[in-house]
Structure formats: structure tokens, C-alpha cells
Amino acid sequence: MTIGIMGAMQEEIAPLLEHYKSYTTIPFGGNTFYKVELENKTLIIACSRIGKVFSSLTASCMALHFGCEKIIFNGVAGGVNPNYKVGSLVLGTQLCQHDVDITAFGHPYGFISGSSVFIPTDISLNNIAKIVAKEQEIPLYEGVIATGDQFINNKERKDWIKKEFNADAIEMEGASVAVVCANLNVPLCIIRAISDNAGDEALISYEEFLEHSAKQSANLVINIIKKI
Ligand code: ADE
């Protein structure tokens, strides 16, 4: 079984590479992929770079070139749900693109013809994530994640995204990876740790907590991999 693990930034995959220690590097598609051989599975790890375009490219490379049969996304997100604190872990059950706007044609925000506003992640992988979190006594929230090519550090925009999509967290890659995986029939799991609250002070919090939150999320992902 070959499993892809992706993050958007080096900080989001560094804890995984540190954990697995032994890997080969494979250049492909303008990026570097790290191949880890475990006893009964192969992992393909990569940092996609930020945003929907680069994350789609990486997910497609993982599925079509490296033959990944499942993909897990590991990273950080801005928290919108008031119960979330910095470091809270969120399992993305549904993803949407908050920056898609063809409302001029009478469509709702986030809608693209031939697709749907919300794309679900894989129920079986999500169940494994929930079991692992329960075993380790780690609180794991389930939520709607809104994705867009914008770092949200503005309360007004954050509140609009929350209201329009009933979003619990905001990031910049989940929905695009979900679209790729849904269309290529690759089961996807998205784990995010909260680094900021996407409000007016988001940047300061993000810079302070990116590394710590990325590690929290990576630790859960490592244990999910063991259970697959
Ligand atoms: N990732 C982490 N925090 C974020 C935010 N506030 N907006 C977009 N992506 C993020």
C-alpha cells in the first residue's frame, strides 16, 4: 500500500521526515518527493507549496505518478469555531472553496458547475483518525474546512466565511486536494491543527504557533499511518 502525506509548507512535513528518518528524495513535477519504505507500506511525503494550485499539482502527482492509494493532508489552519484554541486538532469532514464566486450567474458562493459546494473526505480514513485520537485521548474536532487562496487575518472576512459556509476552520489547500482526490477516487483524510483564529491578530499567532501546531497534527498523522 502506498500512502501520500502532504503538507503545504516545509514546517508541516519536517516532523514527519524527522520521525521516519530514512528516506530517498525523488524530484518530480518541479517538487521534491520523499519516499519512506516501512515494513508493510510505502509513504510518499511532500510539501506542496501554499495554495490551491500547488496543492492540486502535488495531490495529482501523488495519485497519478507515485500511485498513492490514499492521501493524508497534515498542516495548520485558522480556527473559526469559537471552541477551537491554538493547538486544537480538526478532522476536515467537508471542504469548500470560499473564494469561488460565480454568483453573477445565479450560483451560490463556492459552487462550480459539474461539482458541488462541499466535498466530503473519506469516511473510513476519518474513522481511523477518530479511533486513534480516542485511544491516545487527544481531543479531535470534526468540522467544515473552508479553503481559499488568501491568508485570512481579517475578522469581517472570517465572519463572512463562517456565516456563508458554516465553516469551522480556514486554510489554503484542503478543498483543492479534496477535488483532486474525489475525481481520481483516492480516499483523503485532512488533519489540521489550529495556529491562529483568522482574525485581526492572525498573523502574529500564526508565526508563533505554526511549528508547534504542525507538530501536533503530524503526531496524530504518524499514529493514523500505523493503524492503516
Ligand atoms: N492557515 C493557517 N491559518 C490560516 C489563516 N488564517 N488563513 C488561511 N490559511 C491559514
Side-chain angles (χ1 to χ4, degrees), residues 76-78 150-153 170-172 192 195-196 198 202 206:
V76 299
Q150 300 157 354
F151 182 85
I152 305 298
N153 58 341
I170 299 177
E171 36 82 310
M172 301 178 71
R192 295 275 187 174
S195 56
D196 58 84
Y206 173 85

Side-chain angles (χ1 to χ4, degrees), residues 186-208:
V186 178
L188 170 68
C189 179
I190 297 189
I191 305 286
R192 295 275 187 174
I194 300 302
S195 56
D196 58 84
N197 71 358
D200 298 335
E201 308 290 313
L203 188 58
I204 299 165
S205 173
Y206 173 85
E207 285 178 339
E208 186 175 347

Side-chain angles (χ1 to χ4, degrees), residues 2 26-28 32-35 44 58 60-69:
T2 303
I26 307 168
F28 185 76
T32 301
F33 290 80
Y34 303 88
K35 185 175 186 176
I44 301 291
T58 299
S60 301
C61 290
M62 284 182 163
L64 300 174
H65 181 75
F66 290 99
C68 293
E69 295 151 87

Side-chain angles (χ1 to χ4, degrees), residues 6-20:
M6 54 185 289
M9 289 173 301
Q10 204 60 37
E11 287 88 342
E12 292 170 328
I13 64 160
L16 298 162
L17 298 177
E18 273 162 33
H19 173 81
Y20 292 113

Side-chain angles (χ1 to χ4, degrees), residues 103-213:
T103 54
F105 296 89
H107 294 302
Y109 284 107
F111 178 80
I112 293 176
S113 308
S115 186
S116 54
V117 175
F118 294 99
I119 314 277
T121 47
D122 184 68
I123 291 173
S124 306
L125 278 180
N126 289 349
N127 281 339
I128 294 174
K130 287 189 265 183
I131 291 166
V132 169
K134 201 167 179 191
E135 279 173 3
Q136 310 237 320
E137 297 179 7
I138 301 167
L140 178 63
Y141 291 98
E142 294 173 51
V144 173
I145 297 182
T147 301
D149 282 323
Q150 300 157 354
F151 182 85
I152 305 298
N153 58 341
N154 173 296
K155 189 178 177 308
E156 219 175 291
R157 176 73 186 161
K158 161 191 161 161
D159 288 345
W160 180 83
I161 294 169
K162 179 172 165 24
K163 181 175 76 61
E164 190 62 36
F165 300 99
N166 198 21
D168 295 295
I170 299 177
E171 36 82 310
M172 301 178 71
E173 298 83 20
S176 41
V177 174
V179 168
V180 169
C181 287
N183 284 278
L184 297 178
N185 292 318
V186 178
L188 170 68
C189 179
I190 297 189
I191 305 286
R192 295 275 187 174
I194 300 302
S195 56
D196 58 84
N197 71 358
D200 298 335
E201 308 290 313
L203 188 58
I204 299 165
S205 173
Y206 173 85
E207 285 178 339
E208 186 175 347
F209 295 110
L210 164 64
E211 219 174 291
H212 178 75
S213 293

